[in-house]
Amino acid sequence: MDQKVRVRLDRGETRSMKIRRGVQQGCCLSPILFNLYSECLTKEALDGLGDFKLGGKIIQTVKYADDLVLMVKEETVLQGMIDRLIEI
């Protein structure tokens, strides 16, 4: 599955390059790999941030498909979560 792509950057596009690994659109592995990646990303990025409690449990995120909702009480904590996600 060779595919040629260009990556868009602030200073323009890269030269064309081949991608030789990955999963095709509609592959049954795609959602599994996405869920593993997004779960690891959010756990690392949000560790120790936020204290929104629901039913006595701390809830930081609600996820559905490729959507992510961050749950916090204060706007400053939300901005910290967003900054950390971008950094990770």
Side-chain angles (χ1 to χ4, degrees), residues 4 11 24 34 46 56 58 85:
K4 287 192 172 190
R11 60 182 184 273
Q24 292 183 353
F34 178 81
L46 305 180
I58 294 177
L85 278 168

Side-chain angles (χ1 to χ4, degrees), residues 3-88:
Q3 178 183 6
K4 287 192 172 190
V5 298
R6 292 176 179 247
V7 177
R8 189 176 308 153
L9 305 170
D10 290 338
R11 60 182 184 273
E13 287 186 349
T14 64
R15 64 182 180 1
S16 184
M17 60 185 130
K18 287 184 183 180
I19 295 179
R20 296 184 178 152
R21 294 187 181 173
V23 293
Q24 292 183 353
Q25 182 75 24
C27 175
C28 62
L29 284 177
S30 184
I32 294 168
L33 293 173
F34 178 81
N35 286 337
L36 287 170
Y37 170 78
S38 66
E39 187 64 26
C40 291
L41 171 84
T42 55
K43 277 189 177 190
E44 184 176 340
L46 305 180
D47 187 38
L49 294 175
D51 61 350
F52 189 89
K53 287 189 178 180
L54 185 63
K57 293 186 177 186
I58 294 177
I59 306 291
Q60 292 178 312
T61 63
V62 175
K63 300 173 196 153
Y64 181 78
D66 62 350
D67 295 322
L68 172 67
V69 177
L70 301 174
M71 314 251 322
V72 295
K73 292 180 187 176
E74 300 172 16
E75 187 176 340
T76 56
V77 176
L78 177 62
Q79 187 60 57
M81 288 177 144
I82 293 169
D83 292 345
R84 185 79 172 127
L85 278 168
I86 291 169
E87 180 184 325
I88 298 294

